[in-house]
Amino acid sequence: MRRLIFSLLLCAAALVAAPTYCDAPLPVAVALREISALRQQSIPRVEVQQQIRARFEQLIAQYPNDLLAQRAFQREAGLSRTELIARFKKRYDSNPKDALSVYLYALSQSGENTPEASRLMEEALRLDPNMAWPHLAIAYNAANSRPPDPEKTLRHHEAFVKLCPATFEYSPNIAFLQSTSTGLQGSVSAALRSKLAADPNPVRWDAYEYLWRIEFKLTPFPEHAALRKKVAADVARLRNSVPEPDLKLLQVLREGARSSGDTAAEQKLNSEIDRRFPESQEAWWLLLTRWKKEHPSASGTEDMRSLFTVSEEWVRRWPRNANVHFYRFQAVLHLTDIPPAVALAEINKSIAVFRSDPEMAGNFPYALLAANFFLKRGMELETIPTLVQEARNAAQAARLEHQQRRTDTEDPKFMASMESGARQAEISAVEILARAYRQLHRPEQAAALEKQLFDVGATLPEEQALALRASGHIAALAGRKLDAFTYWDRWLASGPPQNVPAHKEVIASIQSEMQTLWAALGGSPAAWNLRERNITQASPTAWQAAEDNSIPSLKLLDIHGKQWSAEELAGKTVLVNLWATWCGPCRAEHAELQKLHDQVKNRKDIAIVTLNADMDLSSVQPYLDENKYTFPVLVNGQYKNVSLPTNYILDPKGVARWKSTGYDAAFGWVDRTLSLLEKTK
């Protein structure tokens, strides 16, 4: 008991003053871990966030001068940036010469006024040169500036490591994992392994997960087998030290078992998680992962029927979990043979849960999807205008929330994509209303819908194409048959994808309506058939002309230890594929990519290389072995702000000529891509 009291007194002393603060003292670390565990509750996220906020307020009231408690509060308590800045400016104004107050105010400014935040971080360092954490913030801001400043990023990472050779904290270890300096990573991994071995407290052992990732990144692939044995020994030692680990430590042990290749141990840990923490989010995630593995396509009618069946038990077990209802909702919308009364009850049950979760309501268009389902089934038509308005309100709230949280370092292209997505959702909402009012025989609504569509302001080609389709429905609602035919004809000429099932269904429906209008306008069947034969549709492909040539470097090692370079590929047309093992669309695409590789692997004029974007490289070789993939895989690249999968086609001079983003599921990808490779000479 005396020893325990003495240890706690030492921890309390550390809270008051520490020459170089690298880790949270044990009481703070325990509290932060408890707060993080609140996220495992299967209740609406708004309620979870309220609990987290309340617990954080208690923590920082108890430890007002603990840097990591205050730092976590800023990241996780859910305050708006305006609230954070006002709160920490008040502290700064009361003591502008206190390094911690300057640092916390600077941290609140990051993303709102990043140059000023970096200036204040430098001021905090001037006031206290032994404070490591401003270095991490300056490095992050430099890495995310436009353009990035890798030299400044590395300089401040090295300064952090000089003050804190190793830390148990998440953020610096993830930053070091992404670093381009193997020397820095080697120094950190060696120091962290020693530090973990010397610390007997399981609260600190979460850092093993970051350690293993860094070690796998540093270790050449041919030596991964030896590293897996080392990780397995870590897992065995940790497990023997803690007979009944908490959920977080069980997750860490499972990650170690997976990294070491011990599938049996991984499954045993999954079973323990389900048995000991049956109501947790993690337990549900395990069931979902198992179902997805058994249904890899997860799109056909039989898959959805299975999902509908299994999700019935999920809903009973986690009745207020929005993620559970997300999957049941999708299954209900897909199946056409569910009795209307059953479908309506299930949809209403899911919508009630979605409404209790503002994050889900703002990011998942459940109201539009439900309205579209009702239209297709010819049911609940009178509720559709209310659902559409609900969707608009949720989308508007989500946009305002994002605007409040957006940072001044965000990619303009990403922001433009977000804005375009919002406009497309608005256009879809108008189209659904037009279709609903057609079935309700309310032509007087046409003028209002035309104004709503005009107010959206479609600018990009994909937005304008959707607006043409919506305009056709508005014209049909108003009884303007020739206008409706013309709008839809122009939409078809824009080349909507024909081989994606959802698009195929819409195209068939529009073409059927057009054929009816053709006859009503006096057109003959013979002329219609002639028109159909002469329509030329754009070929279904995701390939687009590359707008820039900023492809990732190819000067990398592959999984066999071979050094690649751009010079080696000179004179060849090259397909470059960016992917990760955790990326579902990447995994779907790889079966096709392997077929293409098999066709061209012996050619002298065409080459295929893939660049892996995993931070956890322990996953790569098992994934390739399991699927028997033989295409070249380059590793240890740095890919920020890149969607996955992304493909480039380079001409023989190494210039990117074509680019595609996302998995193109349309039939014939291999032939279309090979044809493009042949033409890019």
Side-chain angles (χ1 to χ4, degrees):
M1 178 60 72
R2 286 181 179 178
R3 186 173 298 175
L4 175 60
I5 293 173
F6 180 69
S7 298
L8 291 175
L9 287 172
L10 285 178
C11 289
L15 289 173
V16 176
T20 300
Y21 182 102
C22 300
D23 293 290
L26 189 56
V28 174
V30 170
L32 291 174
R33 189 184 181 89
E34 290 171 349
I35 292 173
S36 178
L38 293 174
R39 298 191 186 280
Q40 285 293 331
Q41 300 174 93
S42 289
I43 60 177
R45 278 171 282 197
V46 65
E47 295 180 26
V48 172
Q49 193 59 54
Q50 289 168 351
Q51 293 180 23
I52 289 173
R53 169 73 181 272
R55 186 65 184 87
F56 262 120
E57 294 288 3
Q58 294 172 359
L59 179 64
I60 63 174
Q62 187 176 5
Y63 303 115
N65 294 318
D66 185 80
L67 184 150
L68 286 175
Q70 294 280 7
R71 190 172 183 273
F73 171 81
Q74 287 202 22
R75 293 198 318 267
E76 301 172 30
L79 276 71
S80 70
R81 188 178 289 113
T82 302
E83 290 177 290
L84 282 176
I85 291 173
R87 184 166 185 152
F88 287 94
K89 184 178 188 303
K90 183 177 180 180
R91 174 171 179 156
Y92 168 75
D93 287 343
S94 67
N95 195 354
K97 299 301 181 182
D98 172 54
L100 178 59
S101 297
V102 176
Y103 166 77
L104 292 173
Y105 178 47
L107 194 64
S108 72
Q109 292 261 39
S110 294
E112 179 71 19
N113 187 350
T114 300
E116 174 64 6
S118 293
R119 186 194 70 77
L120 286 168
M121 291 293 178
E122 297 281 5
E123 174 66 9
L125 289 173
R126 187 187 67 78
L127 291 167
D128 183 358
N130 287 325
M131 183 182 283
W133 292 89
H135 288 295
L136 189 70
I138 295 169
Y140 177 85
N141 292 341
N144 290 278
S145 63
R146 301 198 174 279
D149 189 340
E151 182 180 340
K152 186 175 183 179
T153 301
L154 179 58
R155 185 169 71 250
H156 281 279
H157 278 163
E158 289 173 340
F160 182 97
V161 170
K162 185 176 181 180
L163 291 166
C164 295
T167 172
F168 300 124
E169 298 301 319
Y170 167 84
S171 295
N173 284 310
I174 290 297
F176 302 147
L177 180 62
Q178 297 172 328
S179 174
T180 56
S181 170
T182 55
L184 177 73
Q185 291 170 336
S187 169
V188 167
S189 65
L192 183 55
R193 181 166 277 282
S194 296
K195 189 171 183 174
L196 281 165
D199 197 307
N201 200 301
V203 171
R204 309 293 197 183
W205 295 349
D206 298 355
Y208 270 104
E209 193 170 344
Y210 323 135
L211 171 65
W212 295 328
R213 290 186 182 186
I214 295 174
E215 288 180 334
F216 270 104
K217 189 170 183 181
L218 286 169
T219 305
F221 267 79
E223 299 173 26
H224 274 196
L227 179 55
R228 292 185 199 282
K229 292 181 180 178
K230 187 176 183 180
V231 173
D234 289 338
V235 172
R237 186 181 68 258
L238 299 182
R239 186 56 202 261
N240 289 336
S241 302
V242 186
E244 288 205 351
D246 65 6
L247 177 56
K248 178 57 184 174
L249 187 54
L250 280 173
Q251 291 171 311
V252 173
L253 293 172
R254 182 187 60 195
E255 180 63 18
R258 186 200 60 75
S259 299
S260 70
D262 191 341
T263 304
E266 182 183 0
Q267 293 304 318
K268 188 175 180 180
L269 286 161
N270 282 338
S271 297
E272 184 173 355
I273 289 172
D274 191 37
R275 175 176 56 81
R276 292 182 50 211
F277 303 95
E279 304 304 319
S280 66
Q281 290 270 9
E282 184 65 23
W284 171 73
W285 184 254
L286 290 174
L287 294 182
L288 177 65
T289 302
R290 186 183 308 158
W291 182 86
K292 284 187 171 182
K293 190 170 184 179
E294 295 168 354
H295 301 81
S297 65
S299 59
T301 299
E302 291 309 311
D303 289 330
M304 290 297 104
R305 202 177 306 283
S306 168
L307 182 58
F308 181 70
T309 300
V310 73
S311 63
E312 186 174 5
E313 172 57 30
W314 297 352
V315 168
R316 276 199 296 267
R317 189 163 164 184
W318 296 280
R320 303 179 68 204
N321 187 319
N323 292 321
V324 168
H325 282 274
F326 170 86
Y327 285 94
R328 185 157 183 80
F329 186 75
Q330 298 280 29
V332 172
L333 297 189
H334 188 97
L335 298 171
T336 59
D337 56 353
I338 297 178
V342 174
L344 179 61
E346 293 294 339
I347 288 172
N348 286 338
K349 190 188 303 180
S350 292
I351 285 179
V353 174
F354 297 151
R355 285 172 176 158
S356 70
D357 190 327
E359 184 178 343
M360 176 67 80
N363 294 289
F364 176 51
Y366 66 86
L368 287 184
L369 291 171
N372 195 53
F373 175 83
F374 292 153
L375 274 172
K376 290 169 64 175
R377 297 287 293 265
M379 56 188 284
E380 299 296 308
L381 298 179
E382 294 288 352
T383 68
I384 289 176
T386 302
L387 282 170
V388 170
Q389 188 57 49
E390 180 178 342
R392 285 173 163 168
N393 292 342
Q396 184 178 16
R399 285 199 294 275
L400 289 173
E401 174 75 10
H402 181 75
Q403 287 170 5
Q404 291 173 353
R405 294 189 177 275
R406 65 183 294 183
T407 69
D408 53 12
T409 59
E410 282 185 352
D411 185 353
K413 290 183 179 179
F414 172 76
M415 292 307 303
S417 173
M418 290 284 291
E419 291 168 3
S420 177
R423 286 193 294 271
Q424 290 182 55
E426 275 291 311
I427 294 168
S428 296
V430 173
E431 180 182 15
I432 287 173
L433 280 176
R435 291 168 55 205
Y437 287 137
R438 288 180 66 192
Q439 291 195 40
L440 291 167
H441 305 291
R442 295 177 60 183
E444 74 280 1
Q445 296 290 336
L449 293 178
E450 283 183 328
K451 184 180 184 306
Q452 290 176 26
L453 189 59
F454 176 81
D455 290 343
V456 173
T459 55
L460 298 179
E462 54 268 35
E463 299 164 16
Q464 292 169 343
L466 278 177
L468 285 170
R469 196 174 76 197
S471 295
H473 283 290
I474 294 172
L477 171 65
R480 302 194 307 269
K481 297 178 181 178
L482 186 57
D483 285 0
F485 187 94
T486 303
Y487 283 128
W488 285 332
D489 203 37
R490 290 282 295 169
W491 172 66
L492 286 172
S494 71
Q498 304 231 356
N499 290 308
V500 178
H503 292 152
K504 195 172 183 179
E505 183 180 347
V506 174
I507 291 169
S509 174
I510 294 293
Q511 285 179 324
S512 176
E513 288 215 54
M514 288 176 67
Q515 191 168 10
T516 301
L517 287 174
W518 180 272
L521 292 167
S524 67
W528 173 266
N529 291 335
L530 179 64
R531 173 188 174 280
E532 284 286 280
R533 285 197 300 272
N534 284 280
I535 288 178
T536 56
Q537 299 289 352
S539 61
T541 179
W543 288 106
Q544 303 291 332
E547 296 179 358
D548 58 67
N549 299 319
S550 55
I551 66 164
S553 171
L554 299 179
K555 295 182 178 180
L556 298 167
L557 294 173
D558 67 16
I559 59 173
H560 304 296
K562 173 188 172 183
Q563 177 72 55
W564 287 67
S565 68
E567 292 75 16
E568 182 178 354
L569 298 169
K572 297 180 180 180
T573 303
V574 183
L575 171 66
V576 182
N577 170 263
L578 273 65
W579 65 281
T581 58
W582 46 261
C583 166
C586 302
R587 298 169 76 98
E589 184 176 66
H590 278 167
E592 297 298 296
L593 188 70
Q594 181 64 42
K595 294 175 187 176
L596 181 60
H597 173 68
D598 290 341
Q599 290 191 35
V600 304
K601 61 185 178 183
N602 295 321
R603 291 184 58 163
K604 304 297 184 183
D605 58 336
I606 293 177
I608 292 177
V609 294
T610 73
L611 277 62
N612 176 262
D614 277 276
M615 284 199 295
D616 177 12
L617 294 181
S618 68
S619 305
V620 178
Q621 191 66 60
Y623 168 74
L624 297 172
D625 292 344
E626 179 184 358
N627 294 284
K628 298 181 173 58
Y629 291 146
T630 59
F631 42 73
V633 177
L634 281 56
V635 293
N636 285 358
Q638 300 297 310
Y639 317 114
K640 288 188 175 181
N641 301 317
V642 176
S643 298
L644 299 178
T646 291
N647 291 288
Y648 297 91
I649 290 180
L650 315 185
D651 67 16
K653 294 182 180 180
V655 177
R657 296 298 185 188
W658 301 94
K659 179 180 178 180
S660 71
T661 301
Y663 173 43
D664 178 5
F667 179 78
W669 181 87
V670 172
D671 292 338
R672 291 196 308 279
T673 303
L674 181 57
S675 175
L676 202 56
L677 285 165
E678 298 280 10
K679 293 175 183 176
T680 309
K681 300 292 186 182

